[in-house]
Amino acid sequence: MSVLNPSMNIRGCIVIMNPSFSLPHLDLSTLRFCKSHIICTSTVLLSCVNQKRTGSRPRFQYSVAERSSASNSPAVRTSKAYSGETMKKEASASSLYSRPSLLEMKKQRLENRARVYEFLRGIGIIPDELDGLELPVTVDVMKDRVEFLHKLGLTIEDINNYPLVLGCSVKRNMVPVLDCLGKLGVRKSSITEFLRRYPQVLHASVVVDLQPVVKYLQGMDIKPPDIPRVLERYPEVLGFKLEGTMSTSVAYLVGIGVGRREIGGVLTRYPEILGMRVGRIIKPFVEYLEGLGIPKLAVARLIEKSPHILGFGLEEKVKPNVGFLLEFNVREKSLPSVIAQYPELIGIDLKSKLLKQKDLLNSVLDLGSEDLGRIIERMPQAVSLSKTAIVKHLDFLRECGFSLQQIPKMVVGYPQLLALNLDIMKLNFDYFQSEMARPLDDLVDFPAFFTYGLESTIKPRHQMVARKGLKCSLSWLLNCSDEKFEQRMGYESIDMEEMEPEPTFDINSLMRSRTDESDSEEYSYWSKYDEGFTLEFEP
């Protein structure tokens, strides 16, 4: 290793690299260096050797003295000092445009929220439940949001009932949801009530929340035109999970015998079923009616025809009303028939109606202590008859000539007399007097005469019997099907053993298969009502 003399002048150092050697070329100059700037040539040679091993053959000129001199010159030191001071000044100047600190940002948000809260309190909205909810940062935006809700028909009271609606953006939340409901067919006139009942819908996602529910309803055989009516009647359905309450309630109803093809109609008429828990509401209701003597399949048919009965509170209404029926002398064995004929009975304010009808009937008729019970057993709808209807029908019977002793017997034996169409009753009675010429006692024994069609049943049968010269009771004449009557006309004499009991409601008819219901010609309790007859009940 060669050592440079500190006193020598070095102009530069040129290193030439080739495969065989590296030779530094020293060029003396007028510059003089101290010991601290002496460079060993071996270092340069070693670097060159390493370059050789890697296969590179660069040729370069390196002025060690100049770089060392430049880095330590007074000009450089001055430049560095100037640069540091300049950076500090520039940083100080740019601090006016730098981001605020987290503390400042938090303080600003609190101030904005305080102004928004002040605005809400000023218009009567209590913002206590809005803490933690993302709200508009300015009063103007919040004002626009409140005004939009007002345009939808919601009042300050409505907003206070569900203040979280103020967290819904008009553009991101409200407009897409309302647009979706409108396309589904929900009427604009019903939107206000819709939102009052279920304001949470404004938080919903059209794609994630609303559309899957609509597809599920359609899959339950609810017809597309009925979808908006279902949503209007029960908007809460839009918040249910498909795999939760909705699917289990439908599955249970099908399991007890509700027809799969009937589910669509059941849900259309009473969509609240979709929100009922099976274990808490539906199953206890079904099991209670079973315990009263109504078979499970009959309960299923009642639900098909009147699905709203599932909404009657079991503990609040159903059980107390059954107790009232027993209290007013309805026999326990008759409870299944009474409920099956008029299921609404277990969901109304029954006790007050029973007391009212008892007082009314006792004031116009001489009824026994158990007569009201027999009336309800034969026609449960009697509890809902208006006073006007009852009085009009009793007056008609008096005008016909029935005595005060005959009328109670007729009413207790056939309470439908208090609800039939009076015009039809008058036509039947006129024919009875003028053409049939029978005693009034025949009508006392068979008051159901007033329920049969004059032209379709009474006239043709009476004429056939008259031509044959037969003498028969009204019950033998009318209380049978047309086919059975034709068979009777082939008899030479009347067989009293063929006398059929007066038609009564048979709960087993509810469990008849749907094929039997449509194809069977068997005479049933309801077949005696001909077209044109109406029952006049108080709504």
Side-chain angles (χ1 to χ4, degrees), residues 428-438 454 459 462-463 466:
N428 286 6
F429 184 73
D430 290 343
Y431 185 82
F432 176 84
Q433 275 191 318
S434 62
E435 300 295 332
M436 301 179 75
R438 286 173 173 263
L454 179 60
K459 272 188 179 183
H462 168 68
Q463 292 170 356

Side-chain angles (χ1 to χ4, degrees), residues 280-299:
R280 292 184 181 179
I281 300 176
I282 303 179
K283 185 178 180 182
F285 179 88
V286 172
E287 291 178 346
Y288 180 75
L289 294 187
E290 275 192 282
L292 294 177
I294 305 176
K296 183 179 292 186
L297 184 56
V299 177

Side-chain angles (χ1 to χ4, degrees), residues 302-343:
L302 290 177
I303 293 173
E304 289 179 4
K305 295 178 180 179
S306 305
H308 61 277
I309 65 176
L310 288 173
F312 299 157
L314 181 59
E315 300 297 332
E316 300 82 4
K317 283 290 183 182
V318 178
K319 290 183 178 180
N321 282 352
V322 169
F324 296 144
L325 290 173
L326 296 173
E327 182 181 335
F328 282 80
N329 298 309
V330 173
R331 292 169 294 186
E332 188 172 350
K333 68 177 183 180
S334 300
L335 288 175
S337 173
V338 169
I339 295 173
Q341 290 182 72
Y342 189 44

Side-chain angles (χ1 to χ4, degrees), residues 320-367:
N321 282 352
V322 169
F324 296 144
L325 290 173
L326 296 173
E327 182 181 335
F328 282 80
N329 298 309
V330 173
R331 292 169 294 186
E332 188 172 350
K333 68 177 183 180
S334 300
L335 288 175
S337 173
V338 169
I339 295 173
Q341 290 182 72
Y342 189 44
E344 284 78 7
L345 193 73
I346 57 177
I348 61 178
D349 186 8
L350 184 57
K351 187 173 184 178
S352 64
K353 288 183 176 293
L354 288 170
L355 289 171
K356 179 181 177 181
Q357 298 301 68
K358 182 180 180 180
D359 293 341
L360 174 61
L361 292 174
N362 284 337
S363 67
V364 294
L365 297 173
D366 185 16
L367 297 180

Side-chain angles (χ1 to χ4, degrees), residues 423-489:
D423 293 333
I424 302 297
M425 292 179 72
K426 290 176 182 178
L427 290 175
N428 286 6
F429 184 73
D430 290 343
Y431 185 82
F432 176 84
Q433 275 191 318
S434 62
E435 300 295 332
M436 301 179 75
R438 286 173 173 263
L440 290 179
D441 286 339
D442 285 2
L443 290 178
V444 175
D445 294 335
F446 190 69
F449 169 84
F450 291 101
T451 67
Y452 291 91
L454 179 60
E455 298 296 333
S456 62
T457 305
I458 297 176
K459 272 188 179 183
R461 291 191 182 187
H462 168 68
Q463 292 170 356
M464 292 177 68
V465 169
R467 283 195 297 267
K468 294 198 64 155
L470 297 175
K471 297 292 183 180
C472 63
S473 67
L474 290 177
S475 178
W476 190 91
L477 177 69
L478 300 174
N479 187 23
C480 63
S481 65
D482 289 338
E483 291 74 18
K484 185 66 175 177
F485 181 76
E486 290 180 3
Q487 292 178 10
R488 288 178 175 180
M489 288 297 97

Side-chain angles (χ1 to χ4, degrees), residues 387-405:
K387 179 179 178 180
T388 303
I390 293 175
V391 172
K392 283 194 305 183
H393 286 79
L394 292 178
D395 289 342
F396 167 75
L397 293 176
R398 293 190 188 98
E399 293 172 1
C400 291
F402 295 103
S403 67
L404 295 178
Q405 290 74 32

Side-chain angles (χ1 to χ4, degrees), residues 92-111:
S92 177
S94 64
S95 64
L96 295 175
Y97 305 98
S98 63
R99 294 183 178 180
S101 66
L102 292 177
L103 185 61
E104 291 174 340
M105 292 173 65
K106 182 178 180 180
K107 180 180 179 182
Q108 185 63 41
R109 285 197 300 269
L110 292 176
E111 291 176 353

